[in-house]
Amino acid sequence: MVLKIWEQSMSNPVDLKRILFVTNSVLVYGGELSLLEVIRNHASNPNVRIIVIVPQEGPFSEELKKLDVDFIALRYYKWVVKKRLRRFLECPVKNVFNYFAANSLNKIAK
C-alpha cells in the first residue's frame, strides 16, 4: 500500500513534482499548523503530488483528509526521552523499530 500510492504519482508523464513531507506529531498545533499551510499552498497546484508521512492516524491526518492529500501512517518513535532510566530502557527498542521505519521511508522516497 505504501509504495502503491507513491508509484501512482510516478506514472503521470506530465512534469509532476513530488513532495514528501514527514511529521513526528499527530496533533495540530504551531508547527503542524504551519506545515498544513505549506501543504495547502502546494496542494492547489495540479502539477504537484504531495504525500505526508505521519506516525499514526489522528487529528493531523484528519486535516490531510479534508485537504484531499495522501498520507501514509508509518509507525516510528521519537528518540528523545526526558528521564535517564527510561531512555536507557526504551531507546534500544525504539531504535529497532525506527530502523525498519527508516527502510520503509527510504523505499517511499526513491
Side-chain angles (χ1 to χ4, degrees):
M1 176 64 179
V2 170
L3 293 177
K4 184 178 178 185
I5 293 172
W6 196 250
E7 287 170 357
Q8 288 173 353
S9 71
M10 296 173 61
S11 64
N12 192 344
V14 181
D15 290 334
L16 190 67
K17 293 185 174 88
R18 295 177 295 147
I19 303 174
L20 176 67
F21 292 100
V22 180
T23 181
N24 66 345
S25 177
V26 297
L27 303 175
V28 182
Y29 291 110
E32 295 81 14
L33 288 172
S34 296
L35 180 57
L36 281 171
E37 189 62 30
V38 170
I39 291 169
R40 187 177 292 111
N41 290 334
H42 286 295
S44 62
N45 184 344
N47 294 326
V48 174
R49 168 78 170 174
I50 298 172
I51 296 180
V52 182
I53 306 293
V54 295
Q56 63 188 23
E57 290 195 31
F60 189 81
S61 59
E62 292 300 319
E63 292 296 322
L64 294 174
K65 288 178 187 177
K66 290 178 189 174
L67 294 173
D68 197 29
V69 171
D70 291 326
F71 69 91
I72 299 168
L74 179 64
R75 186 71 175 157
Y76 54 92
Y77 297 91
K78 295 179 184 178
W79 58 274
V80 176
V81 180
K82 293 180 182 177
K83 300 199 184 261
R84 182 173 268 174
L85 178 61
R86 188 173 173 194
R87 179 178 55 213
F88 176 75
L89 296 174
E90 287 182 357
C91 280
V93 174
K94 286 182 179 181
N95 287 339
V96 170
F97 282 108
N98 285 344
Y99 172 80
F100 290 110
N103 280 338
S104 296
L105 187 58
N106 188 31
K107 290 176 186 176
I108 293 167
K110 284 187 177 183

